[in-house]
Amino acid sequence: MAARILRDPARSSDCRHQGLSAREGEKEVMNFQIYGIDAASGAAILALDVQPGDHVLDLCAAPGAKLCMLADMLGSTGSLTGIDVAKHRLSACRTMLQKYSLGDRTRLFVADGTLFSILPVNSNLRRMEGSIDLEESGSTFSEWTSRRTWKDRQKAKKANATGSQHLLAPSEPELIYYGKHSGLVGLRKSDVLCPAVNDEACTSGYDKVLVDAECTHDGSIKHIQKFEFWGWKTLDRRVLDAERTDNLLQLQLNLLSNGFRLLKTGGSLVYSTCSLTVAQNENVVQQFLSTQPSADLRKLGLANTWPCRSGGIPKTLRFDPVTSQTSGLFVAKFSKLST
């Protein structure tokens, strides 16, 4: 297992700059927060090579560990957009971001990742002067608050009464969180939430995109262990069912294609799954490359020091319990060429 050390923002200043003694410095370290993440999952994030100022898209953000690692790597620059189709799962991501104080530059949308088309906040958009009448007009973003309007509370009550609170996302993306410095505060909603048109993403899209796609999870040790609770008789329905697998393959291809569409020319996209199957990995990559002439499969330079093996396609990687002593993970990295 790998772990990211997440600093407590209230005590994150360098000890030396505060003139603290060595013993006091040791106490300072005790306030760091540590969140564990499988080393293979961390490798998918490192493969993106996030740089200061990048606009990053996590197209399948839940349950949130990778999202938090991305936010931690971005630090105080750039922006992070997290997408998930299930609101209750994305709400858990929001809780994690707030718990570890990592959501300052993040925005979260409940949306279908195969259809999502909102680009990063354009720095050239004109901000409204002042913020006195923001809430009154309802047309601009004021600072985010967890307090819900009466209308939203009534809608939630109705959903709870009908048992529909965990339904999948509606066709329109729903913004459920945005940080103070995510670039939204003071901007007009109509400017920020408008979908991309034509090839707009090539110049104004995301610098980095992560597509950690939904899969059968057959390579995840933690997931497989759940069958002791679910019952091993459910394995056929959850993992081996042919119809479900066919649907997943189409979903994975659609997620990869849409993530690439939202990528800026010259940007990088990482596709990963925690499945060991060729169908959900190499086959999806080959099908994607056959339809995307501007997609270039890239070699991962960092992999020279990683305990992994090559995938069935050159330049792709596989982690597994035997080779790397981690959960299974497939990783492929693409860049977007100018057409």
Side-chain angles (χ1 to χ4, degrees):
M1 297 290 286
R4 294 293 294 177
I5 301 178
L6 310 177
R7 291 181 295 177
D8 183 342
R11 303 179 62 86
S12 62
S13 299
D14 192 313
C15 298
R16 292 170 297 178
H17 292 172
Q18 296 183 359
L20 300 180
S21 67
R23 179 165 296 182
E24 289 173 322
E26 291 172 1
K27 293 179 180 178
E28 193 80 9
V29 174
M30 296 299 291
N31 290 280
F32 281 33
Q33 297 175 318
I34 299 176
Y35 183 85
I37 180 174
D38 192 281
S41 298
I45 303 301
L46 293 176
L48 266 181
D49 190 26
V50 174
Q51 298 296 316
D54 277 348
H55 294 295
V56 183
L57 172 65
D58 185 350
L59 204 55
C60 309
K66 293 184 181 71
L67 185 74
C68 284
M69 186 171 172
L70 284 170
D72 189 35
M73 293 179 71
L74 270 179
S76 59
T77 62
S79 70
L80 176 61
T81 300
I83 312 298
D84 203 87
V85 74
K87 186 172 183 177
H88 68 290
R89 285 167 55 84
L90 197 64
S91 296
C93 294
R94 178 179 61 193
T95 299
M96 286 184 64
L97 288 171
Q98 292 176 303
K99 176 181 179 180
Y100 293 109
S101 302
L102 291 170
D104 193 45
R105 292 182 173 270
T106 304
R107 55 182 188 166
L108 300 177
F109 287 94
V110 181
D112 183 343
T114 66
L115 301 175
F116 182 77
S117 60
I118 296 175
L119 299 180
V121 174
N122 188 338
S123 59
N124 294 324
L125 287 176
R126 181 175 63 84
R127 292 181 178 276
M128 304 295 289
E129 294 295 332
S131 58
I132 297 177
D133 62 344
L134 293 183
E135 293 184 5
E136 295 178 359
S137 66
S139 62
T140 56
F141 287 101
S142 55
E143 190 168 331
W144 185 84
T145 174
S146 58
R147 295 183 60 184
R148 295 180 296 176
T149 64
W150 180 87
K151 184 178 181 180
D152 287 339
R153 292 197 301 270
Q154 294 302 310
K155 187 184 295 184
K157 285 182 180 179
K158 185 177 181 180
N160 289 331
T162 59
S164 60
Q165 67 268 33
H166 289 175
L167 288 179
L168 297 183
S171 57
E172 292 292 327
E174 179 185 357
L175 182 64
I176 66 167
Y177 175 79
Y178 54 92
K180 185 176 182 181
H181 294 105
S182 59
L184 271 65
V185 177
L187 291 183
R188 292 181 300 182
K189 295 180 180 179
S190 59
D191 290 334
V192 173
L193 301 180
C194 60
V197 294
N198 301 325
D199 296 328
E200 185 181 1
C202 290
T203 56
S204 303
Y206 295 90
D207 300 286
K208 306 289 168 58
V209 175
L210 174 67
V211 181
D212 185 46
E214 173 64 20
C215 66
T216 53
H217 305 289
D218 55 273
S220 170
I221 296 173
K222 184 177 180 181
H223 190 85
I224 292 298
Q225 288 174 337
K226 294 179 181 179
F227 282 98
E228 297 207 1
F229 171 76
W230 293 333
W232 290 99
K233 292 182 179 180
T234 67
L235 184 67
D236 284 347
R237 174 172 57 84
R238 294 178 181 271
V239 177
L240 304 178
D241 180 70
E243 182 178 355
R244 179 173 185 268
T245 302
D246 288 344
N247 292 336
L248 271 177
L249 296 177
Q250 189 59 52
L251 172 63
Q252 290 157 353
L253 181 60
N254 291 343
L255 287 168
L256 177 53
S257 299
N258 192 46
F260 191 76
R261 182 180 69 86
L262 297 172
L263 185 66
K264 181 188 296 185
T265 298
S268 299
L269 180 150
V270 166
Y271 172 76
S272 63
T273 82
C274 59
S275 171
L276 298 174
T277 67
V278 172
Q280 297 176 69
N281 298 311
E282 284 89 348
N283 288 3
V284 170
V285 167
Q286 287 180 324
Q287 192 172 352
F288 169 72
L289 288 172
S290 69
T291 60
Q292 296 289 343
S294 61
D296 183 32
L297 189 59
R298 303 297 299 272
K299 180 180 179 180
L300 292 166
L302 290 172
N304 293 332
T305 60
W306 291 349
C308 57
R309 60 184 176 88
S310 175
I313 298 176
K315 302 179 182 178
T316 63
L317 300 178
R318 280 184 174 273
F319 291 81
D320 59 66
V322 176
T323 306
S324 55
Q325 298 182 10
T326 64
S327 286
L329 193 82
F330 173 85
V331 182
K333 182 176 182 177
F334 306 87
S335 65
K336 192 171 192 176
L337 303 176
S338 174
T339 55

